[in-house]
Amino acid sequence: MRRKWFYVALSALALSALVLAQGRYQIGTPLSEQEVQEWNIRPSILANGVGLPPGQGTVDEGAKVYATHCASCHGAAGEGGAFTRLVSEPFPITKEVDSVDFAIGNYWQYATTLFDYTRRAMPFATPGILSNDEVYAVVAYILYQNGVIDGSEPMNAQTLPKVQMPARALLELDPNTQKRFPWIKLP
Amino acid sequence: MNRRKLLQLLSKGAAAGAFVKLSGGLAQSKIPQGATDIMKVLGTTLREYGERSEFEKDVIRYISPNLRSRHTGADFSPLEKLDGVITPSSLHFERHHGGVPNVNPADYRLVIHGMVERPLMFTLQDLKRLPSVTRTYFIECAGNGQNGYRNPPDMTLTATRSRGLVSNSSWTGVPLSILLKEAGLKEGARWLIPEGQDAAAYTRSLPLEKALDDVLVAYAQNGEAIRPEQGYPVRLVVPGWEGSIQVKWLRRIQVTDTPVMSKDETSEYTDVMADGKIYAFTWVMDPESIITYPSGLQQISRGFHEIRGLAWSGHGRIRRVEISLDGGKTWKQASLEPAPDALSVVRFKYNWVWDGRETVIMSRAWDEKGNTQPTQEEFFAKWARNNRYHYNAIQAWRIGADGKVVNGDKTLAGAPARLGAVGRGGCGGES
């Protein structure tokens, strides 16, 4: 009996030694890359374009997607309705522009954000229903409406990250944040 | 006393007092009849889940009538109706981007992946098995104080609508640093991209250093499971930083070498400055305070009052709170209770005898790093008038000779800001 307890104690000691040796608690289930992808149903699109899926869409195709899924909230041409205004002149805001008039052409700083957010969270009541092609298309349409692109080429994983947003020129890292995290650089 | 009880009393012939009260007679007792009647009947029985008194039903969050959807936007904690420093979980302010998901904890999983040695999936039980930490922290929406952008000032402002997008809770969870160590960080990892399980799949970028410092993956609030509207079953608590980075319904954390620049850290939650620049990653909440008594739309009488209020700072402990009783000319030190904790709300108190003359009262907080609150003029020297976030200027309350309390902020020079022009559908909670 005493011998049994000795072995129980010894194996417990061995286990805790193993846990401590690795500095880990060994809790949590490892996932394969395949399993991670199954979970990652709305992958993030980074500002450098990493994460953009295959597919593409044109301004004309986007106009149809917009009319079907977006116009009822954001206005027939993105001028705003019950919800946020999307379209402005392609000039960055000034401090005189009323914040209700902040829109994609004058305030958004990264074109990739538009793809990420549209695929992630829109349409508001039925997020996730648009195909990648439809998202590229509606992004092309909205950028065109804002005068940011001329619509001569479709939006896809190569063209979208190259689109320069006018308001990017105004964006800076908060100086207090920069002091605390000197390594941070805005994309 | 309700009508039925009154009739019962009358029929029993024991209602002399009640009758006098009913007819407004001269011999009215100073003793409320109900206070003694209640002792003649049995109270309610034991019950498995407690509810507050039926007489407290008007202590509710403020939801603006101007919202176009209650699936997005914010509501306010009723600050002037609360005491102490802990916000009751049911009155914690809300901010959602796609409604409150009804997450079944049996289906709950948190996945950490990206630049890690071992992508890992945690169940709720896994998270609860790991070493726990309990700390009291405030959470404040970056849009708190947004009504301060209105010019001329809103004369119907209350303490709730001035600063009610802050709440203070005891949070329990596992340090995020432990989970990251389990997964093992790869060389070059710098950022985390946490994602919510709501319809908006809300994401933000969080620098790894903060995550390794004090961020909690929390599953309990004030001793019970986190409320659904606060992120049930699991949320991030990022002490001292703006509420919008403290992702609720946390389902996924991607480890990267670059920030995502998501919609809610670019088109929203960026600050327009007075020089026209837009600042990104304005994470830390500067010091704030608000007098909750006497405050907007309350009424006081001459004589003794304990001025009460709340103060907090995202930089650390509150070191002192000062009160002005003369519109900011002179300042006196208030007492603090409890002993201030870092990144947590403290209550301040000041004994005052009101002489009945019109006056303007104010409070301003100082934190341990020496930061304090600006005046409105000082604030707008740095931030633009069309900015929407991080307003922490001193709130003034004007007490009229009739004892009525209203917003005491001054009208600013320059173009007026339209009512409802701020934060359309956003986190200011009003429009």
Side-chain angles (χ1 to χ4, degrees):
Chain A
M1 202 60 197
R2 290 183 74 153
R3 224 179 146 75
K4 184 186 162 192
W5 284 116
F6 173 77
Y7 284 118
V8 170
L10 192 70
S11 63
L13 202 67
L15 181 65
S16 65
L18 185 73
V19 168
L20 289 177
Q22 302 203 357
R24 294 196 280 125
Y25 298 93
Q26 317 263 20
I27 290 176
T29 308
L31 292 191
S32 67
E33 264 319 306
Q34 170 73 28
E35 289 166 325
V36 167
Q37 279 174 33
E38 277 174 44
W39 184 251
N40 193 4
I41 54 172
R42 304 204 192 147
S44 289
I45 310 303
L46 306 182
N48 56 13
V50 167
L52 280 171
Q56 63 177 19
T58 64
V59 172
D60 286 347
E61 290 158 356
K64 293 184 196 116
V65 177
Y66 183 87
T68 308
H69 295 289
C70 320
S72 60
C73 283
H74 296 290
E79 71 277 14
F83 288 90
T84 321
R85 173 182 174 161
L86 302 180
V87 170
S88 64
E89 297 295 327
F91 314 119
I93 58 140
T94 66
K95 53 186 183 165
E96 280 75 39
V97 174
D98 205 324
S99 59
V100 293
D101 294 325
F102 293 2
I104 288 160
N106 65 8
Y107 200 89
W108 289 47
Q109 304 106 26
Y110 301 91
T112 46
T113 307
L114 190 51
F115 188 99
D116 178 81
Y117 182 67
T118 306
R119 189 171 69 164
R120 175 170 300 286
M122 289 287 130
F124 184 68
T126 53
I129 61 163
L130 299 181
S131 68
N132 289 332
D133 286 347
E134 287 174 313
V135 176
Y136 276 122
V138 80
V139 163
Y141 171 76
I142 292 167
L143 291 172
Y144 177 79
Q145 286 295 105
N146 277 283
V148 175
I149 60 170
D150 63 12
S152 61
E153 53 181 9
M155 285 292 111
N156 56 39
Q158 285 71 49
T159 55
L160 182 63
K162 291 188 191 127
V163 173
Q164 292 294 311
M165 299 300 284
R168 178 64 188 85
L170 297 184
L171 193 74
E172 289 186 12
L173 185 61
D174 173 22
N176 292 321
T177 299
Q178 185 77 82
K179 242 178 265 166
R180 181 162 167 192
F181 303 99
W183 54 270
I184 294 183
K185 280 193 187 73
L186 293 181
Chain B
M1 175 175 333
N2 65 31
R3 192 178 158 80
R4 212 180 75 195
K5 270 207 183 112
L6 181 67
L7 288 172
Q8 275 172 0
L9 286 170
L10 286 168
S11 69
K12 282 174 186 162
F19 183 74
V20 168
K21 196 174 174 188
L22 192 68
S23 61
L26 293 170
Q28 186 169 350
S29 169
K30 288 181 180 140
I31 311 297
Q33 187 82 29
T36 49
D37 282 350
I38 197 165
M39 299 170 73
K40 297 171 186 167
V41 293
L42 281 176
T44 55
T45 60
L46 299 172
R47 42 186 179 174
E48 284 158 324
Y49 194 82
E51 301 288 344
R52 62 183 175 171
S53 162
E54 63 174 287
F55 303 106
E56 295 297 317
K57 294 249 161 86
D58 65 332
V59 183
I60 50 175
R61 291 187 279 231
Y62 172 79
I63 304 178
S64 170
N66 300 325
L67 294 179
R68 286 148 303 160
S69 163
R70 286 191 174 188
H71 282 110
T72 182
D75 62 24
F76 298 72
S77 280
L79 298 186
E80 68 273 19
K81 294 177 179 170
L82 301 176
D83 288 297
V85 291
I86 294 290
T87 310
S89 302
S90 45
L91 295 172
H92 192 294
F93 84 88
E94 296 183 86
R95 169 65 170 123
H96 316 312
H97 299 80
V100 179
N102 185 25
V103 181
N104 181 341
D107 295 339
Y108 176 78
R109 300 289 185 277
L110 169 62
V111 170
I112 299 182
H113 71 107
M115 296 176 73
V116 294
E117 302 292 343
R118 297 164 292 276
L120 285 181
M121 174 178 265
F122 298 91
T123 63
L124 184 56
Q125 290 75 10
D126 289 339
L127 298 178
K128 288 183 173 179
R129 266 181 72 193
L130 288 161
S132 65
V133 165
T134 298
R135 294 273 190 284
T136 301
Y137 293 123
F138 75 82
I139 294 181
E140 182 183 17
C141 179
N144 201 18
Q146 209 170 81
N147 281 308
Y149 286 102
R150 293 183 181 188
N151 195 38
D154 175 1
M155 296 313 281
T156 66
L157 195 70
T158 58
T160 292
R161 288 178 53 235
S162 172
R163 290 299 194 284
L165 296 178
V166 67
S167 295
N168 197 50
S169 305
S170 167
W171 299 103
T172 302
V174 51
L176 179 50
S177 58
I178 288 180
L179 304 184
L180 293 172
K181 199 165 180 192
E182 292 296 299
L185 293 166
K186 278 192 175 162
E187 186 77 27
R190 283 289 201 183
W191 292 90
L192 306 180
I193 305 172
E195 178 187 72
Q197 202 171 352
D198 54 335
Y202 185 87
T203 56
R204 291 288 294 263
S205 305
L206 178 69
L208 193 54
E209 281 154 271
K210 176 68 173 174
L212 295 175
D213 180 16
D214 59 0
V215 173
L216 289 182
V217 173
Y219 45 79
Q221 174 186 13
N222 299 331
E224 62 176 357
I226 290 176
R227 292 293 171 105
E229 64 267 39
Q230 296 312 320
Y232 180 86
V234 173
R235 73 171 300 163
L236 280 186
V237 172
V238 184
W241 288 21
E242 58 190 11
S244 57
I245 203 167
Q246 311 194 30
V247 175
K248 301 191 283 189
W249 316 292
L250 182 68
R251 73 181 294 275
R252 186 170 71 87
I253 297 175
Q254 183 177 357
V255 182
T256 68
D257 56 358
T258 167
V260 65
M261 309 315 288
S262 70
K263 172 256 196 185
D264 288 288
E265 57 198 13
T266 56
S267 84
E268 290 189 57
Y269 306 107
T270 45
D271 288 31
V272 185
M273 308 307 291
D275 62 7
K277 289 175 183 159
I278 301 172
Y279 280 176
F281 300 149
T282 49
W283 293 313
V284 179
M285 298 309 294
D286 285 333
E288 293 223 39
S289 70
I290 178 80
I291 295 175
T292 55
Y293 178 84
S295 62
L297 304 191
Q298 293 177 341
Q299 178 146 22
I300 63 167
S301 53
R302 279 178 204 221
F304 174 78
H305 297 276
E306 183 180 71
I307 295 176
R308 295 174 187 153
L310 301 168
W312 62 96
S313 170
H315 297 277
R317 279 175 186 75
I318 289 295
R319 176 157 287 167
R320 95 180 170 267
V321 176
E322 295 168 320
I323 301 285
S324 177
L325 303 167
D326 54 13
K329 289 193 208 70
T330 61
W331 295 87
K332 301 166 196 307
Q333 194 159 338
S335 61
L336 302 182
E337 194 178 72
D341 259 339
L343 313 174
S344 175
V345 169
V346 66
R347 188 159 282 275
F348 64 84
K349 308 186 296 185
Y350 185 84
N351 289 343
W352 180 48
V353 176
W354 184 47
D355 60 10
R357 277 184 293 192
E358 177 169 323
T359 190
V360 173
I361 63 171
M362 303 170 168
S363 65
R364 73 179 175 203
W366 296 77
D367 66 29
E368 61 183 332
K369 305 278 165 61
N371 303 298
T372 190
Q373 295 176 252
T375 62
Q376 282 177 291
E377 290 84 351
E378 288 164 347
F379 182 86
F380 286 114
K382 205 170 159 197
W383 277 266
R385 295 273 283 274
N386 60 355
N387 178 41
R388 299 166 285 175
Y389 305 107
H390 295 285
Y391 181 85
N392 71 327
I394 294 164
Q395 173 72 55
W397 300 119
R398 175 176 300 279
I399 300 169
D402 55 2
K404 285 185 178 154
V405 188
V406 292
N407 189 355
D409 285 350
K410 288 181 227 151
T411 299
L412 297 166
R418 265 195 286 144
L419 188 74
V422 285
R424 195 169 190 201
C427 75
E430 287 270 28
S431 53

